[in-house]
């Protein structure tokens, strides 16, 4: 069975989720729990780093859909970063770039959050 | 040719070679068209220009410079044919757009499109030479344009194929996951995640209709309201997906909840559930192939949910079967393996256990060479609990029998013990007696059991002395016993209600009357023959109808 794991990092107001391995129907609940935990703690500014993600299936993409409304209702967002071409291609195929901001690097994504915070102030 | 002219020609040639090199080094259509336009405009000092390409037989504007947006949108949709350049609509457009030069882009066998250039900045008209040069540029470009158009087309096809492959992957992955007998909640979750990820849906619900119960497994719509609205037969019979349009027309309330697609989950042509989806966040409609995909994954999911349910059911059945086997085992071990022989009595017994293992108990216990105890009882309930209580009863019985206690006293004691040992309302109807071989006598107590029959000279006497059934409460009123002096040819018939309440297919009972009549009629026979008569008669009555209770008969004949 393909392995999948997540880890998280606090970067000030922002939380980064690192994905590793294969995100599919079987492993989707792992990411689901990670998101649920953050939302429970009212952490709504989330960057997901895809650097070490080898594969994502539509069930994996579904996890992003399942939480985005709640997060945006709370003035937060999920920003995506560091995707390999293969992973990006799947996001692109299904039209995600229209709905999600996708960045080359985690730093860019964090920067974008910071800019928005500054504007709000 | 003077020198300046030759320099000019040389420069033109160099420029053409450079141009050719650049556009032929790319397969990016936008880059090539941009380059062609800029080169032409630069060469002829034109302030505006456009390129329209032949896409599937139709001329479509593909690149332009210096043309106002409004004019771009007005570009006529024209079929590509022989007379394209002379098309009046196109001519009208040119004059409106102040476009002057027009040239076809041609491959060896086809018209790829046209280039149009606007007036020159210096207001000079396009010359014959200009036209020749434009042709040259386009001849150089045509193969690059053609190649990149093919690549463009391929990439569209590729993307389409990619998304098909992606869908197949999803289907494959889900079918693998669904094969694992997961909990239905997990199956539903994977199902919706797959769908919302695939189609960018924000709200969804999954319902099942199994065993006549509507269950909302997953819902982002108000659950209660959903159940109310979907509780009509319409949905149980829904065979085809309902589109946004149909929902809006027929089920306004659902539409108002934001539901734009309802897809049935079917198993062997029966609708076993529904998938409800809101609109897609990218505002695209669900296409036919989208709906087909959702229908497919829905069917996969319902098969998985149903399989698991059947599996569980089978498991429960097996477990019950095992439990019954245990109960049967206990019961078998409690019944006497051998009937003791006494010279004054001819004894025959029959015990048929029902499928569910009832609580019939009988025993014949040898006390000494002259006396023995006969007992019959029916423990309430079935299965293992009944069998265990029966085991208790037998243990108490065997102990008290050997204490030499009076029967009524012993019965009171057994009742107390059973009462102490049952907490769940179980009870036992019980009859027991001591038979004396020498005196040919019976001393019995009946604790609420079906009255055994004593048949003497064609007359029935019911053995009804005793007291309350065992296990209901501690002994308050003493049991009474009765002594009967038996005569030769007396028949004592002990039975459980499994006999008198045996059912035929109309659910009618065999009845006490029938048994009593049969007992009187066959009293002259031996114990064994009497038993056979009863068995045959009851079986003839039931005619193969499965019985829910055990049947026990003990026949004792004085000889």
């Amino acid at each position: 069975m393909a392995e999948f794991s997540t880890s998280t990092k606090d970067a000030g107001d922002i939380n980064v989720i690192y994905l590793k391995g294969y995100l599919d129907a079987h492993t989707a609940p792992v990411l689901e729990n990670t998101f649920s935990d953050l939302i429970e703690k009212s952490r709504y500014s989330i960057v997901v780093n895809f650097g070490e993600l080898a594969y994502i299936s539509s069930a994996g993409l579904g996890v992003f859909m399942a939480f985005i409304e709640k997060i945006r209702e709370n003035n937060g967002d999920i920003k995506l970063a560091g995707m390999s071409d293969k992973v990006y291609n799947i996001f692109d195929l299904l039209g995600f770039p229209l709905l999600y901001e996708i960045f080359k690097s985690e730093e860019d994504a964090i920067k974008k959050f910071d800019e928005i915070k500054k504007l709000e102030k | 040719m003077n020198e300046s002219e030759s320099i000019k020609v040389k420069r033109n040639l160099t420029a053409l070679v450079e141009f050719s090199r650049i556009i032929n080094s790319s397969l990016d259509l936008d880059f090539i068209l941009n380059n062609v336009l800029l080169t032409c405009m630069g060469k002829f000092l034109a302030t505006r220009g456009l390129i329209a390409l032949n896409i599937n037989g139709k001329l479509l504007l593909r690149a332009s410079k210096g043309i106002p947006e409004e004019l771009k949108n007005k570009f006529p949709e024209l079929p590509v044919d022989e007379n394209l350049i002379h098309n009046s609509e196109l001519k009208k457009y040119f004059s409106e757009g102040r476009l002057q030069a027009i040239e076809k882009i041609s491959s060896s066998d086809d018209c790829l499109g046209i280039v149009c250039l606007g007036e020159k900045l210096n207001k000079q008209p396009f010359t014959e030479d200009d036209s020749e040069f434009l042709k040259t540029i386009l001849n150089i470009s045509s193969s690059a344009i053609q190649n990149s158009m093919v690549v463009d087309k391929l990439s569209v096809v590729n993307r389409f194929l990619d998304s098909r492959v992606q869908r197949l992957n999803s289907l494959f992955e889900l079918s693998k996951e669904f094969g694992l007998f997961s909990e239905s909640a997990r199956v539903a979750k994977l199902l919706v995640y797959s769908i919302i990820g695939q189609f960018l849906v924000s709200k969804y619900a999954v319902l099942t209709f199994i065993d006549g119960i509507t269950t909302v497994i997953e819902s982002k719509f108000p659950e209660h309201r959903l159940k109310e609205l979907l509780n009509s037969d319409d949905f149980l019979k829904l065979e085809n997906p309902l589109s946004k349009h149909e929902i809006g027309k027929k089920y306004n309330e659902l539409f108002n909840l934001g539901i734009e697609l309802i897809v049935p989950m079917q198993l062997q042509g029966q609708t076993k559930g529904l998938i409800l989806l809101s609109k897609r966040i990218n505002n695209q409609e669900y296409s036919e192939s989208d709906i087909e995909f959702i229908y497919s994954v829905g069917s996969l999911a319902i098969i998985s949910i149903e399989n698991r349910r059947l599996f569980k059911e089978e498991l429960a059945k097996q477990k019950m079967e095992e439990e019954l086997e245990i109960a049967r085992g206990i019961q078998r071990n409690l019944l006497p393996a051998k009937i003791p022989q006494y010279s004054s009595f001819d004894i025959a017994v029959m015990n048929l256990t029902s499928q569910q293992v009832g609580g019939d108990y009988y025993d014949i216990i040898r006390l000494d060479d002259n006396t023995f105890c006969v007992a019959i009882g029916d423990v309430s309930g079935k299965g293992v609990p009944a069998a265990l209580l029966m085991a208790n009863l037998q243990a108490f019985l065997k102990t008290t029998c050997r204490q030499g206690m009076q029967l009524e006293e012993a019965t009171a004691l057994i009742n107390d013990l059973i009462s102490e040992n049952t907490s769940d309302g179980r009870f036992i109807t019980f009859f027991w007696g001591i038979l004396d071989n020498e005196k040919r006598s019976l001393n019995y107590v009946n604790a609420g059991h079906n009255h055994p029959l004593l048949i003497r000279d064609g007359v029935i006497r019911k053995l009804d002395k005793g007291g309350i059934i065992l296990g209901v409460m501690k002994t308050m009123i003493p049991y009474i016993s009765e002594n009967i002096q038996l005569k030769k040819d007396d028949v004592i018939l002990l039975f459980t209600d499994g006999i008198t309440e045996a059912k035929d297919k109309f659910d009618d009972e065999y009845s006490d009357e029938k048994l009593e009549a049969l007992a009187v009629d066959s009293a002259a026979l031996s114990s064994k023959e009497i038993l056979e008569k009863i068995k045959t008669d009851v079986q003839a009555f039931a005619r193969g109808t499965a019985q829910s209770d055990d049947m026990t008969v003990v026949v004792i004949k004085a000889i």
Side-chain angles (χ1 to χ4, degrees):
Chain A
M1 196 172 295
E3 287 289 321
F4 173 75
S5 63
T6 66
S7 54
T8 55
K9 183 179 91 177
D10 270 9
D13 290 342
I14 299 154
N15 282 72
V16 185
I17 304 178
Y18 296 89
L19 310 183
K20 189 175 178 177
Y22 285 74
L23 178 52
D24 56 18
H26 198 79
T27 56
V30 177
L31 180 58
E32 205 188 332
N33 288 339
T34 310
F35 272 118
S36 298
D37 285 350
L38 288 178
I39 287 168
E40 211 164 283
K41 289 185 238 158
S42 305
R43 308 285 298 186
Y44 299 114
S45 299
I46 300 169
V47 171
V48 182
N49 188 330
F50 288 77
E52 288 188 79
L53 191 77
Y55 170 79
I56 187 163
S57 77
S58 54
L61 294 169
V63 179
F64 291 92
M65 293 301 300
F67 292 99
I68 190 68
E69 272 203 338
K70 170 115 202 207
I71 287 176
R72 289 191 179 155
E73 274 166 20
N74 286 285
N75 284 325
D77 197 14
I78 303 174
K79 297 195 192 296
L80 316 176
M83 288 181 191
S84 67
D85 288 349
K86 195 173 145 200
V87 169
Y88 178 79
N89 192 34
I90 297 172
F91 272 88
D92 188 36
L93 267 180
L94 300 180
F96 271 68
L98 273 176
L99 306 171
Y100 289 83
E101 285 191 285
I102 303 179
F103 297 88
K104 279 256 174 296
S105 72
E106 179 187 322
E107 291 71 30
D108 290 350
I110 293 176
K111 223 183 271 170
K112 184 67 191 274
F113 268 125
D114 289 341
E115 278 166 20
I116 292 167
K117 291 259 153 63
K118 263 183 218 157
L119 279 177
E120 280 170 0
K121 278 173 194 167
Chain B
M1 197 184 288
N2 63 33
E3 200 175 328
S4 77
E5 264 181 6
S6 89
I7 290 175
K8 202 173 154 195
V9 168
K10 209 170 154 192
R11 204 191 299 142
N12 273 346
L13 273 176
T14 318
L16 281 177
V17 170
E18 176 64 12
F19 171 71
S20 165
R21 195 187 61 76
I22 288 180
I23 61 166
N24 279 304
S25 67
S26 171
L27 282 172
D28 181 346
L29 187 60
D30 288 327
F31 173 81
I32 292 167
L33 297 181
N34 202 38
N35 235 294
V36 170
L37 262 185
L38 286 177
T39 304
C40 293
M41 288 164 73
K43 170 69 192 156
F44 305 115
L45 302 174
T47 50
R48 49 176 64 179
L50 66 81
I51 298 179
L53 294 181
N54 173 2
I55 313 257
N56 299 325
K58 277 192 184 138
L59 195 64
L60 297 175
L61 184 60
R62 187 66 171 71
S64 73
K65 301 224 173 273
I67 309 238
E69 202 63 30
E70 183 200 334
L71 202 59
K72 270 200 239 173
N73 295 334
K74 274 205 228 161
F75 191 81
E77 199 176 282
L78 297 171
V80 178
D81 55 27
E82 299 290 308
N83 303 318
L84 181 64
I85 293 185
H86 308 293
N87 186 293
S88 58
E89 249 186 281
L90 197 60
K91 280 193 168 154
K92 201 175 131 212
Y93 184 79
F94 285 163
S95 67
E96 201 178 330
R98 283 183 286 138
L99 293 158
Q100 291 185 348
I102 173 163
E103 201 55 64
K104 268 191 185 180
I105 310 167
S106 300
S107 69
S108 53
D109 54 355
D110 209 358
C111 169
L112 299 176
I114 55 167
V115 173
C116 307
L117 297 173
E119 57 190 11
K120 290 187 179 183
L121 195 60
N122 57 12
K123 307 287 179 195
Q124 294 293 313
F126 281 88
T127 64
E128 199 61 24
D129 272 1
D130 289 344
S131 173
E132 279 306 310
F133 196 78
L134 183 55
K135 272 187 188 145
T136 311
I137 291 178
L138 295 182
N139 278 339
I140 293 171
S141 329
S142 73
S143 69
I145 292 175
Q146 187 174 28
N147 288 342
S148 56
M149 279 172 80
V150 169
V151 168
D152 244 26
K153 228 183 223 169
L154 273 181
S155 81
V156 169
V157 170
N158 257 338
R159 206 170 154 81
F160 177 74
L161 283 179
D162 272 358
S163 69
R164 279 295 137 122
V165 167
Q166 207 274 337
R167 277 186 192 191
L168 280 178
N169 272 338
S170 297
L171 262 180
F172 176 65
E173 191 192 325
L174 285 178
S175 63
K176 225 169 42 180
E177 192 62 29
F178 288 165
L180 296 173
F181 280 126
S182 307
E183 282 290 344
S184 58
R186 185 171 150 77
V187 169
K189 189 148 247 179
L190 290 178
L191 171 71
V192 292
Y193 273 12
S194 218
I195 292 172
I196 65 176
Q198 190 85 42
F199 301 106
L200 304 170
V201 183
S202 62
K203 284 195 173 156
Y204 51 84
V206 178
L207 290 91
T208 57
F209 308 127
I210 289 177
D211 289 342
I213 300 162
T214 304
T215 314
V216 179
I217 304 186
E218 278 279 325
S219 179
K220 286 232 174 179
F221 300 107
E223 210 166 293
H224 196 71
R225 186 91 181 101
L226 212 56
K227 260 192 167 172
E228 266 173 29
L229 293 175
L230 292 172
N231 231 343
S232 93
D233 264 5
D234 278 16
F235 292 99
L236 278 171
K237 289 182 194 137
L238 185 69
E239 286 191 358
N240 297 307
L242 291 175
S243 68
K244 177 181 172 181
H245 179 69
E246 288 165 304
I247 299 169
K249 220 166 60 181
K250 281 208 246 163
Y251 307 101
N252 208 23
E253 281 155 315
L254 288 172
F255 189 73
N256 290 340
L257 285 179
I259 296 168
E260 296 199 354
L261 179 66
I262 302 180
V263 180
M265 293 196 279
Q266 290 189 313
L267 188 63
Q268 289 159 350
Q270 272 191 309
T271 301
K272 297 270 184 183
L274 297 178
I275 300 170
L276 303 115
L277 300 175
S278 70
K279 70 173 178 114
R280 299 177 66 179
I281 294 185
N282 59 9
N283 287 322
Q284 282 181 24
E285 300 276 321
Y286 293 97
S287 73
E288 215 152 282
S289 78
D290 294 345
I291 295 173
E292 214 166 86
F293 175 83
I294 295 167
Y295 180 83
S296 303
V297 288
S299 299
L300 278 179
I302 202 71
I303 289 170
S304 169
I305 290 172
E306 188 67 357
N307 270 348
R308 185 179 162 83
R309 191 182 68 85
L310 291 174
F311 181 69
K312 268 184 166 167
E313 223 174 69
E314 189 56 35
L315 219 61
K317 222 190 249 168
Q318 259 179 35
K319 209 178 144 207
M320 202 174 87
E321 206 38 63
E322 270 166 34
E323 198 178 276
L324 286 179
E325 199 39 57
I326 294 171
R328 240 174 245 132
I330 297 173
Q331 199 178 25
R332 228 179 355 252
N333 285 329
L334 291 176
L335 303 181
K338 210 172 90 198
I339 304 298
Q341 301 288 315
Y342 287 92
S343 57
S344 308
F345 299 105
D346 168 26
I347 307 170
V349 295
M350 171 184 91
N351 171 252
L352 301 172
T353 35
S354 68
Q355 183 61 28
Q356 288 122 18
V357 189
D360 276 16
Y361 169 70
Y362 77 90
D363 214 343
I364 294 171
I365 306 164
R366 180 184 183 279
L367 299 177
D368 53 43
D369 287 346
N370 187 44
T371 54
F372 65 98
C373 164
V374 58
I376 190 165
D378 190 350
V379 178
S380 70
K382 291 179 165 45
V384 172
L388 289 178
L389 186 57
M390 193 187 293
N392 269 344
L393 170 68
Q394 190 193 44
F396 298 145
L397 192 63
K398 287 206 162 154
T399 334
T400 47
C401 261
R402 289 170 216 278
Q403 303 289 321
M405 287 168 83
Q406 287 298 308
L407 216 46
E408 53 269 45
E409 242 180 282
T411 312
L413 179 62
I414 291 173
N415 179 47
D416 287 347
L417 289 168
I418 299 279
S419 297
E420 273 171 37
N421 281 279
T422 58
S423 51
D424 51 0
R426 285 179 195 283
F427 58 86
I428 306 170
T429 67
F430 183 64
F431 171 98
W432 66 326
I434 307 287
L435 286 138
D436 188 306
N437 190 50
E438 264 169 38
K439 294 183 191 153
R440 207 188 257 147
S441 68
L442 167 71
N443 178 221
Y444 77 88
V445 170
N446 188 344
H449 193 74
N450 300 49
H451 303 154
L453 310 177
L454 169 62
I455 303 119
R456 177 180 293 171
D457 303 329
V459 180
I460 287 174
R461 173 173 169 191
K462 294 187 176 178
L463 307 182
D464 53 2
K465 299 286 178 296
I468 191 168
I469 49 178
L470 307 183
V472 175
M473 57 167 119
K474 286 213 163 190
T475 313
M476 312 283 282
I477 305 160
Y479 287 91
I480 44 176
S481 69
E482 183 179 28
N483 260 306
I484 297 177
Q485 180 59 54
L486 297 170
K487 294 203 309 193
K488 186 172 177 297
D489 295 332
D490 280 358
V491 172
I492 305 168
L493 178 64
L494 304 105
F495 59 93
T496 55
D497 57 9
I499 294 286
T500 49
E501 291 169 14
K503 300 262 175 38
D504 66 7
K505 63 178 171 182
F506 308 109
D507 217 31
D508 288 331
E509 292 182 357
Y510 181 71
S511 80
D512 284 300
E513 289 72 26
K514 275 209 186 67
L515 180 65
E516 285 166 21
L518 185 69
V520 171
D521 282 354
S522 48
L525 305 170
S526 73
S527 288
K528 205 165 175 189
E529 286 164 337
I530 295 170
L531 198 69
E532 266 321 303
K533 281 254 178 204
I534 295 172
K535 188 176 167 186
T536 318
D537 202 47
V538 172
Q539 276 172 352
F541 174 82
R543 280 203 186 190
T545 305
Q547 300 300 315
S548 62
D549 210 352
D550 297 353
M551 295 185 195
T552 305
V553 183
V554 177
V555 184
I556 301 171
K557 185 163 188 175
I559 49 177

